[in-house]
Amino acid sequence: SRQYIQHSDKSARASAEINDLLTQYAGNFPQVRELGVLSPTGSWMYSSFETVPTVNNSDREYFRYHRSHPQDHAPRLSEPLITRVTGRPTLLMTQRLSNDDGSFAGVVFAAIDLAYFRSFYSGFESGRNRSVTLMKTNGKVLMHRNEGEIGKDMGGSALFSDRMKDSASGLYSIVSPFD
């Protein structure tokens, strides 16, 4: 879909097709709340919502990153944020869009509601003695049973200063730094 969006003719018909395509994609993935495309100025161009929101996201970290890194076309996972459209705690999977000449054409994103992760991982927690915490490799907490811990920086904990330097992934049993 990224290629289709980058090469569309921006006509009303093409815009309606892209909005319909995003709505179909969002409906196929239960973890995805919405899909959208931001213009080079940060305004919404396309959306899986019934109407395209009128907010501007040019000040968001993920948008600024993609605008200033023309060679990085890899998908990225945002820090936890509260969306301006829904007001819900969210993670964004984002990717840069480029014009044929390599200039910045905007950002395509998938919004994943943090409640999805909380619901999914709660099945692994048995009572109050265990919890699952989802973190980025930089130590930022993405999901924890206590919502107040979301966004906390655990980069200085032993897990990251000791264990993660040996392996970027794995299953570790530790005494929780949250309790």
Side-chain angles (χ1 to χ4, degrees):
S1 68
R2 182 176 80 125
Q3 296 292 355
Y4 183 72
I5 292 167
Q6 286 184 155
H7 300 292
S8 74
D9 61 14
K10 310 292 188 273
S11 67
R13 184 180 64 67
S15 293
E17 288 175 3
I18 292 171
N19 288 335
D20 289 344
L21 180 68
L22 294 177
T23 301
Q24 288 175 0
Y25 282 164
N28 290 334
F29 299 97
Q31 65 273 31
V32 174
R33 188 181 59 235
E34 75 242 11
L35 296 168
V37 178
L38 302 177
S39 75
T41 62
S43 298
W44 287 59
M45 292 173 50
Y46 310 113
S47 172
S48 61
F49 286 128
E50 191 171 314
T51 58
V52 177
T54 58
V55 299
N56 186 289
N57 290 350
S58 63
D59 64 328
R60 296 287 196 168
E61 184 280 330
Y62 66 87
F63 185 88
R64 291 190 324 263
Y65 178 88
H66 288 299
R67 183 176 52 205
S68 65
H69 289 80
Q71 302 305 317
D72 189 352
H73 292 275
R76 297 187 77 231
L77 188 63
S78 76
E79 300 295 330
L81 57 87
I82 304 296
T83 67
R84 293 182 172 131
V85 176
T86 66
R88 297 178 68 150
T90 302
L91 292 177
L92 297 179
M93 179 68 73
T94 64
Q95 191 170 20
R96 178 189 169 96
L97 297 174
S98 295
N99 294 308
D100 290 338
D101 65 0
S103 62
F104 183 58
V107 174
V108 61
F109 68 86
I112 304 166
D113 199 318
L114 287 176
Y116 168 81
F117 292 111
R118 198 170 304 109
S119 173
F120 178 79
Y121 285 112
S122 69
F124 297 95
E125 299 175 343
S126 60
R128 303 289 302 168
N129 294 330
R130 295 181 185 199
S131 67
V132 175
T133 303
L134 183 63
M135 293 184 249
K136 291 181 74 170
T137 56
N138 66 2
K140 288 287 186 162
V141 175
L142 301 177
M143 187 282 311
H144 184 73
R145 122 175 103 205
N146 179 357
E147 204 169 293
E149 302 294 348
I150 294 172
K152 188 174 183 178
D153 187 352
M154 300 301 295
S157 69
L159 174 63
F160 289 90
S161 62
D162 297 337
R163 300 281 188 131
M164 292 294 283
K165 69 180 178 188
D166 296 329
S167 174
S169 65
L171 179 63
Y172 301 105
S173 180
I174 61 172
V175 175
S176 174
F178 301 105
D179 300 329

